[in-house]
Amino acid sequence: MRDLFPQDLIKRWDDALKRSERIVLSTHMNPDGDAVGSLMGLGLFLRQLGFRVSMVCPSPYPGFLKFLDPDREILVFSRNREEVIQKITEADTIIAVDVSSFSRMEELGEILEDKKAFRVLMDHHIDPDSEGFDLVFSTTKISSSCELVYRVLKLWRPESVILKEQAVAFLTGIITDTNQFANSVYPETFNVTSELTACGANTEDIFDKVYRNFSYNRMRLMGYALQNIRLLPQYNAGYIVLTRDVLEEFGYRNGDTEGFVNFPLAITGISVSAFFLQREDHIKVSLRSKGKIAVNGIAKDFFNGGGHYNASAGKMEDAVDKIEELLKKALGTIIA
Ligand code: 5GP
Ligand code: MN
C-alpha cells in the first residue's frame, strides 16, 4: 500500500506524542459512524500505548452506534459539560477527527479553540482549517476518517497490534461513510478492510448492528419517508421532507433517519436527492448526488453548509412550505 503521508509528518506526530500524556479526542456535531469509529478506534489504540485519553463529542451519537462504545466512555458535551471541560483543562494534546474545523463543533469547538494545547487534525473533508492546527493529516482521496486514522497509526507503529474492538470501530466508519462500499472507495479501502478483517472485525456483525437493528418505529418512519418521496423530474431530483409533527407521530429518536437521504437515488433517472428534517429552530438539509453532479456548492451557497462532492449538508431557517422553492432555485444552478 502506498504511504498516505510522508515520513516527516509521521515524525512530527511521534515527537508531539512523546511530549504528551493527556489527550482529548473530539469530533463533529451529530456524530456518525465514521466520527464514533475514529474516536473509539484511535482512543483505544492510544490507551493501549499508555496515554490517558478522553473521547468527547459535542452532541449525542445515535443509539445504533452504542455497540462501538459498550462502556459508555464517550463523553457528550451537551449532557456532561463540566466533565468535558475538566478533561479539556487537563489535556496537553487535542486531536480532532472527522471534522474540518473547530467551528463544526459549535460551543465545544470554542472551548477547544481557546485551550492552549498541541492540536492535531485528522480528517477527509475539503477545506480543512489548517491554520487552526499544529499538525494536519488531511486528504479527500480516501474512504473515511477511520481509514485515514488507521493508516496513520500503521505508519507510526507498524508493529503494534490492532485489537478487535479497534478494528470493528475503524471498519464501521469505512462501511458507513462509503455507504456500504458504494462511494469514495479506492483500492486501498479494500486493503485496509482486509487488514481489519484479519484483526477480528466481522462485516456481517457490523451489518447486523448498523443496518439490521431498527426499532419498529424507525421502520415505520422509513415507510412514511418512502411513501412521501417528491420528484422534480425536470432536475432529475427527488426529495423527502419530515416535519416535526410526523417525527412525533413515529416516536422519532436521534439517528432514526440515517440513510433516508439516499432513498430517492434508488429511483431510475434520479441523480440528486435532498432530505429535509425539521428540527426545533431550523431545518436540517442533507444532499446526495451521483457521478459528476456536485452538491457541495449548493450546500454552501443555499443552505449555509458544505461537505463532499456527492454528499453534503447544511440547514435552512425558512418555513417548511418554502422548501421546494429554495430547492428548485438551488438545483437550477447545477442542472441545466
Ligand atoms: P449528512 O447529510 O450525513 O448530515 O452530511 C453529509 C456530509 O456533509 C457530512 O459528511 C459532512 O461532510 C458535511 N456536512 C454536514 N453538515 C455540514 C455543515 O454544517 N457544514 C459543512 N461545511 N459540512 C457539513
Ligand atoms: Mn467521515
Side-chain angles (χ1 to χ4, degrees), residues 28 32 34-35 98 123-125 143-145 177 308:
H28 58 79
D32 57 6
D34 194 29
D98 198 39
D123 182 44
H124 70 134
H125 294 95
S143 67
S144 55
S145 296
D177 250 33
H308 310 279

Side-chain angles (χ1 to χ4, degrees), residues 7 10 45 150 152-162:
Q7 274 304 320
I10 303 296
F45 184 90
Y150 170 81
V152 169
L153 296 181
K154 287 311 272 185
L155 286 170
W156 177 44
R157 292 287 172 102
E159 306 307 328
S160 286
V161 176
I162 301 285

Side-chain angles (χ1 to χ4, degrees), residues 9-25 42 45-47 49-53 92-95 118-120 122 135 137 152-153 156-157:
L9 210 55
I10 303 296
K11 171 89 173 53
R12 284 176 56 209
W13 159 267
D14 185 52
D15 290 343
L17 287 198
K18 274 189 186 126
R19 292 191 300 269
S20 152
E21 201 176 314
R22 292 169 193 257
I23 304 174
V24 166
L25 308 185
L42 178 59
F45 184 90
L46 292 173
R47 279 187 184 169
L49 297 179
F51 294 96
R52 303 185 57 169
V53 185
D92 47 54
T93 304
I94 290 164
I95 306 177
F118 190 81
R119 298 162 183 192
V120 185
M122 302 178 107
L135 192 55
F137 293 100
V152 169
L153 296 181
W156 177 44
R157 292 287 172 102

Side-chain angles (χ1 to χ4, degrees), residues 164-182:
K164 182 179 171 187
E165 308 85 79
Q166 299 157 25
V168 169
F170 289 138
L171 190 51
T172 299
I174 293 176
I175 291 174
T176 53
D177 250 33
T178 58
N179 192 12
Q180 304 171 44
F181 297 106

Side-chain angles (χ1 to χ4, degrees), residues 182-230:
N183 331 109
S184 314
V185 171
Y186 299 83
E188 288 84 358
T189 314
F190 292 111
N191 294 337
V192 169
T193 298
S194 163
E195 292 178 16
L196 293 171
T197 306
C199 294
N202 179 309
T203 49
E204 192 173 1
D205 276 353
I206 296 173
F207 269 76
D208 269 343
K209 304 252 171 47
V210 175
Y211 300 109
R212 296 195 283 248
N213 192 16
F214 290 4
S215 66
Y216 183 53
N217 270 339
R218 182 180 176 186
M219 208 69 188
R220 289 176 59 246
L221 180 62
M222 184 187 289
Y224 176 92
L226 289 166
Q227 292 263 355
N228 287 279
I229 293 175
R230 304 179 204 179

Side-chain angles (χ1 to χ4, degrees), residues 28 32 100 104 124-125 177 258 261 284-288 304-308 311-315:
H28 58 79
D32 57 6
S100 54
R104 281 207 55 218
H124 70 134
H125 294 95
D177 250 33
E258 190 77 24
V261 61
K284 159 88 197 280
V285 184
S286 284
L287 300 162
R288 299 291 186 273
N304 196 19
H308 310 279
S312 301
K315 56 176 144 178

